[in-house]
PDB file of all heavy atoms in Angstrom:
ATOM      1  N   ASP A 628     -43.345  63.883 -88.569  1.00 98.00           N
ATOM      2  CA  ASP A 628     -44.214  62.784 -88.142  1.00 98.00           C
ATOM      3  C   ASP A 628     -43.625  61.427 -88.548  1.00 98.00           C
ATOM      4  O   ASP A 628     -43.673  60.468 -87.763  1.00 98.00           O
ATOM      5  CB  ASP A 628     -45.642  62.955 -88.741  1.00 98.00           C
ATOM      6  CG  ASP A 628     -46.383  64.113 -88.113  1.00 98.00           C
ATOM      7  OD1 ASP A 628     -45.952  64.601 -87.037  1.00 98.00           O
ATOM      8  OD2 ASP A 628     -47.391  64.556 -88.695  1.00 98.00           O
ATOM      9  N   ASP A 629     -43.064  61.378 -89.762  1.00 96.00           N
ATOM     10  CA  ASP A 629     -42.406  60.127 -90.190  1.00 96.00           C
ATOM     11  C   ASP A 629     -41.208  59.825 -89.302  1.00 96.00           C
ATOM     12  O   ASP A 629     -40.963  58.645 -88.992  1.00 96.00           O
ATOM     13  CB  ASP A 629     -41.939  60.265 -91.646  1.00 96.00           C
ATOM     14  CG  ASP A 629     -43.092  60.215 -92.624  1.00 96.00           C
ATOM     15  OD1 ASP A 629     -44.212  59.843 -92.219  1.00 96.00           O
ATOM     16  OD2 ASP A 629     -42.872  60.538 -93.827  1.00 96.00           O
ATOM     17  N   LEU A 630     -40.472  60.845 -88.894  1.00 97.00           N
ATOM     18  CA  LEU A 630     -39.322  60.638 -88.022  1.00 97.00           C
ATOM     19  C   LEU A 630     -39.779  60.095 -86.677  1.00 97.00           C
ATOM     20  O   LEU A 630     -39.166  59.144 -86.131  1.00 97.00           O
ATOM     21  CB  LEU A 630     -38.543  61.949 -87.847  1.00 97.00           C
ATOM     22  CG  LEU A 630     -37.372  61.904 -86.889  1.00 97.00           C
ATOM     23  CD1 LEU A 630     -36.334  60.854 -87.323  1.00 97.00           C
ATOM     24  CD2 LEU A 630     -36.702  63.267 -86.813  1.00 97.00           C
ATOM     25  N   ALA A 631     -40.850  60.642 -86.154  1.00 97.00           N
ATOM     26  CA  ALA A 631     -41.394  60.160 -84.872  1.00 97.00           C
ATOM     27  C   ALA A 631     -41.808  58.675 -85.008  1.00 97.00           C
ATOM     28  O   ALA A 631     -41.561  57.894 -84.085  1.00 97.00           O
ATOM     29  CB  ALA A 631     -42.583  61.029 -84.432  1.00 97.00           C
ATOM     30  N   ALA A 632     -42.402  58.343 -86.146  1.00 97.00           N
ATOM     31  CA  ALA A 632     -42.830  56.951 -86.369  1.00 97.00           C
ATOM     32  C   ALA A 632     -41.596  56.042 -86.407  1.00 97.00           C
ATOM     33  O   ALA A 632     -41.631  54.906 -85.904  1.00 97.00           O
ATOM     34  CB  ALA A 632     -43.639  56.834 -87.654  1.00 97.00           C
ATOM     35  N   THR A 633     -40.494  56.531 -86.997  1.00 97.00           N
ATOM     36  CA  THR A 633     -39.259  55.740 -87.069  1.00 97.00           C
ATOM     37  C   THR A 633     -38.689  55.544 -85.646  1.00 97.00           C
ATOM     38  O   THR A 633     -38.306  54.438 -85.312  1.00 97.00           O
ATOM     39  CB  THR A 633     -38.247  56.449 -87.968  1.00 97.00           C
ATOM     40  OG1 THR A 633     -38.773  56.532 -89.292  1.00 97.00           O
ATOM     41  CG2 THR A 633     -36.943  55.688 -88.023  1.00 97.00           C
ATOM     42  N   PHE A 634     -38.695  56.586 -84.855  1.00 97.00           N
ATOM     43  CA  PHE A 634     -38.205  56.445 -83.485  1.00 97.00           C
ATOM     44  C   PHE A 634     -39.085  55.468 -82.674  1.00 97.00           C
ATOM     45  O   PHE A 634     -38.586  54.737 -81.829  1.00 97.00           O
ATOM     46  CB  PHE A 634     -38.149  57.810 -82.775  1.00 97.00           C
ATOM     47  CG  PHE A 634     -36.873  58.555 -83.011  1.00 97.00           C
ATOM     48  CD1 PHE A 634     -36.871  59.794 -83.627  1.00 97.00           C
ATOM     49  CD2 PHE A 634     -35.635  57.998 -82.685  1.00 97.00           C
ATOM     50  CE1 PHE A 634     -35.721  60.495 -83.889  1.00 97.00           C
ATOM     51  CE2 PHE A 634     -34.444  58.697 -82.921  1.00 97.00           C
ATOM     52  CZ  PHE A 634     -34.475  59.937 -83.518  1.00 97.00           C
ATOM     53  N   LYS A 635     -40.357  55.454 -83.008  1.00 98.00           N
ATOM     54  CA  LYS A 635     -41.271  54.515 -82.336  1.00 98.00           C
ATOM     55  C   LYS A 635     -40.869  53.081 -82.661  1.00 98.00           C
ATOM     56  O   LYS A 635     -40.866  52.222 -81.784  1.00 98.00           O
ATOM     57  CB  LYS A 635     -42.704  54.799 -82.802  1.00 98.00           C
ATOM     58  CG  LYS A 635     -43.766  54.386 -81.798  1.00 98.00           C
ATOM     59  CD  LYS A 635     -45.089  55.000 -82.156  1.00 98.00           C
ATOM     60  CE  LYS A 635     -46.176  54.520 -81.209  1.00 98.00           C
ATOM     61  NZ  LYS A 635     -47.485  55.083 -81.577  1.00 98.00           N
ATOM     62  N   ILE A 636     -40.507  52.865 -83.925  1.00 98.00           N
ATOM     63  CA  ILE A 636     -40.045  51.533 -84.322  1.00 98.00           C
ATOM     64  C   ILE A 636     -38.748  51.186 -83.615  1.00 98.00           C
ATOM     65  O   ILE A 636     -38.523  50.029 -83.230  1.00 98.00           O
ATOM     66  CB  ILE A 636     -39.909  51.490 -85.887  1.00 98.00           C
ATOM     67  CG1 ILE A 636     -41.294  51.314 -86.489  1.00 98.00           C
ATOM     68  CG2 ILE A 636     -38.978  50.367 -86.319  1.00 98.00           C
ATOM     69  CD1 ILE A 636     -41.375  51.601 -87.963  1.00 98.00           C
ATOM     70  N   LEU A 637     -37.913  52.169 -83.402  1.00 97.00           N
ATOM     71  CA  LEU A 637     -36.654  51.946 -82.670  1.00 97.00           C
ATOM     72  C   LEU A 637     -36.877  51.716 -81.184  1.00 97.00           C
ATOM     73  O   LEU A 637     -35.961  51.275 -80.482  1.00 97.00           O
ATOM     74  CB  LEU A 637     -35.701  53.131 -82.862  1.00 97.00           C
ATOM     75  CG  LEU A 637     -35.256  53.389 -84.309  1.00 97.00           C
ATOM     76  CD1 LEU A 637     -34.296  54.564 -84.351  1.00 97.00           C
ATOM     77  CD2 LEU A 637     -34.617  52.174 -84.915  1.00 97.00           C
ATOM     78  N   GLY A 638     -38.070  52.050 -80.698  1.00 97.00           N
ATOM     79  CA  GLY A 638     -38.351  51.953 -79.252  1.00 97.00           C
ATOM     80  C   GLY A 638     -38.636  50.519 -78.807  1.00 97.00           C
ATOM     81  O   GLY A 638     -39.429  50.289 -77.875  1.00 97.00           O
ATOM     82  N   GLU A 639     -38.031  49.542 -79.452  1.00 98.00           N
ATOM     83  CA  GLU A 639     -38.199  48.145 -79.088  1.00 98.00           C
ATOM     84  C   GLU A 639     -36.802  47.550 -78.942  1.00 98.00           C
ATOM     85  O   GLU A 639     -36.045  47.493 -79.931  1.00 98.00           O
ATOM     86  CB  GLU A 639     -38.994  47.469 -80.234  1.00 98.00           C
ATOM     87  CG  GLU A 639     -39.095  45.951 -80.151  1.00 98.00           C
ATOM     88  CD  GLU A 639     -39.747  45.498 -78.871  1.00 98.00           C
ATOM     89  OE1 GLU A 639     -40.837  45.971 -78.527  1.00 98.00           O
ATOM     90  OE2 GLU A 639     -39.162  44.597 -78.200  1.00 98.00           O
ATOM     91  N   PRO A 640     -36.427  47.147 -77.740  1.00 98.00           N
ATOM     92  CA  PRO A 640     -35.036  46.730 -77.489  1.00 98.00           C
ATOM     93  C   PRO A 640     -34.488  45.726 -78.482  1.00 98.00           C
ATOM     94  O   PRO A 640     -33.333  45.813 -78.897  1.00 98.00           O
ATOM     95  CB  PRO A 640     -35.101  46.132 -76.071  1.00 98.00           C
ATOM     96  CG  PRO A 640     -36.214  46.892 -75.420  1.00 98.00           C
ATOM     97  CD  PRO A 640     -37.239  47.139 -76.515  1.00 98.00           C
ATOM     98  N   VAL A 641     -35.311  44.736 -78.904  1.00 98.00           N
ATOM     99  CA  VAL A 641     -34.757  43.723 -79.810  1.00 98.00           C
ATOM    100  C   VAL A 641     -34.370  44.339 -81.164  1.00 98.00           C
ATOM    101  O   VAL A 641     -33.377  43.932 -81.777  1.00 98.00           O
ATOM    102  CB  VAL A 641     -35.753  42.531 -79.992  1.00 98.00           C
ATOM    103  CG1 VAL A 641     -36.961  42.907 -80.803  1.00 98.00           C
ATOM    104  CG2 VAL A 641     -35.037  41.358 -80.629  1.00 98.00           C
TER     105      VAL A 641
END
Side-chain angles (χ1 to χ4, degrees):
D628 289 344
D629 287 348
L630 177 58
T633 298
F634 275 120
K635 206 166 177 181
I636 282 165
L637 297 182
E639 171 59 50
V641 71

